[in-house]
Amino acid sequence: MSTTLLFHKPYGVLSQFRPEPGSAWSTLADHIDRPGVYAAGRLDADSEGLLVLTDDGRLQARLTDPAWGHWRRYLVQVEGIITEAALNSLRRGVMVKGRRTLPARARAVEDPTLPERDPPIRHRLRVPTAWLEVELREGRNRQVRRMTAAVGLPTLRLLRTAIDLMDGGPPLDLAGLAPGAWREVSPGERQRLVALLRPSGRPSAP
């Protein structure tokens, strides 16, 4: 039987088990002692939140292929004042490194009062900060940060909170997981993940 884990990745941890030469970042090996699992999708070392790890290569491919359109939800603390124009730009898609992103879901949210990050984010007293909830169906390199920068809202803190399996059930999320903690998927979650690998027609259009 395959192994699939949900991990709340803290700041400063690479989404891999081997260290990068010369890097000061820690790795998954510092938190997870289950051999043979690999991240299904990545989070940058300076990002936090939900990471799915599995030893099932088909599941890894299914969850990361943008053709299937799994929505990923993020809480994003930004510098500046969120405007409706900025939100509409994110919803339409913005140009990132010469290519337009797929349309996103984006809305302003109240401060979610997350636990303090270690190390804390930098604050500039004269620059306001605000929070966004952003959902994407693709995972290009540093995409959320580049998208918010493109609309004049530099990202200060980024946390992935959920991954939608697109099967009508609740998304996988961080419920009950403190930063640095992990758990095996529940029997119900396992059944849903197995069902994703059954023949089910064509993937959704991007």
Side-chain angles (χ1 to χ4, degrees):
M1 181 178 293
S2 65
T3 297
T4 302
L5 313 176
L6 304 183
F7 175 52
H8 187 158
K9 190 188 84 65
Y11 177 90
V13 179
L14 295 168
S15 296
Q16 60 195 51
F17 285 87
R18 291 187 177 183
E20 293 283 353
S23 173
W25 300 122
S26 62
T27 71
L28 297 176
D30 297 303
H31 299 272
I32 298 172
D33 59 358
R34 298 294 293 272
V37 295
Y38 299 93
R42 303 176 68 84
L43 283 172
D44 296 318
D46 54 354
S47 299
E48 309 161 67
L50 180 63
L51 201 62
V52 177
L53 297 102
T54 182
D55 59 3
D56 187 324
R58 290 194 306 148
L59 178 60
Q60 186 180 38
R62 176 67 163 77
L63 292 176
T64 55
D65 186 344
W68 291 100
H70 289 285
W71 288 99
R72 290 159 169 77
R73 185 182 305 150
Y74 301 84
L75 283 173
V76 193
Q77 187 178 20
V78 296
E79 253 185 7
I81 297 173
I82 299 169
T83 65
E84 197 61 28
L87 292 174
N88 285 334
S89 292
L90 295 172
R91 292 164 184 158
R92 289 191 299 266
V94 298
M95 294 300 293
V96 169
K97 296 183 75 68
R99 188 157 60 98
R100 185 170 295 278
T101 63
L102 294 178
R105 297 169 178 167
R107 65 187 184 100
V109 295
E110 297 294 324
D111 186 340
T113 63
L114 300 173
E116 187 75 11
R117 197 190 73 180
D118 182 21
I121 66 161
R122 59 181 174 84
H123 280 289
R124 293 194 290 171
L125 295 179
R126 296 186 180 182
V127 180
T129 67
W131 286 88
L132 288 167
E133 183 183 84
V134 177
E135 295 185 59
L136 305 180
R137 300 177 73 180
E138 57 182 341
R140 291 158 58 181
N141 184 43
R142 298 184 74 78
Q143 182 169 341
V144 175
R145 296 176 188 277
R146 288 175 169 155
M147 289 179 71
T148 64
V151 298
L153 298 169
T155 290
L156 296 173
R157 187 176 183 184
L158 176 62
L159 181 131
R160 183 158 66 200
T161 60
I163 298 174
D164 194 340
L165 297 183
M166 310 296 286
D167 62 353
L172 303 179
D173 61 26
L174 292 172
L177 287 175
W182 60 272
R183 66 171 177 85
E184 291 200 39
V185 293
S186 69
E189 291 166 339
R190 183 181 301 281
Q191 288 180 355
R192 294 172 61 200
L193 291 167
V194 168
L196 292 183
L197 303 178
R198 296 176 186 144
S200 58
R202 296 179 179 178
S204 60

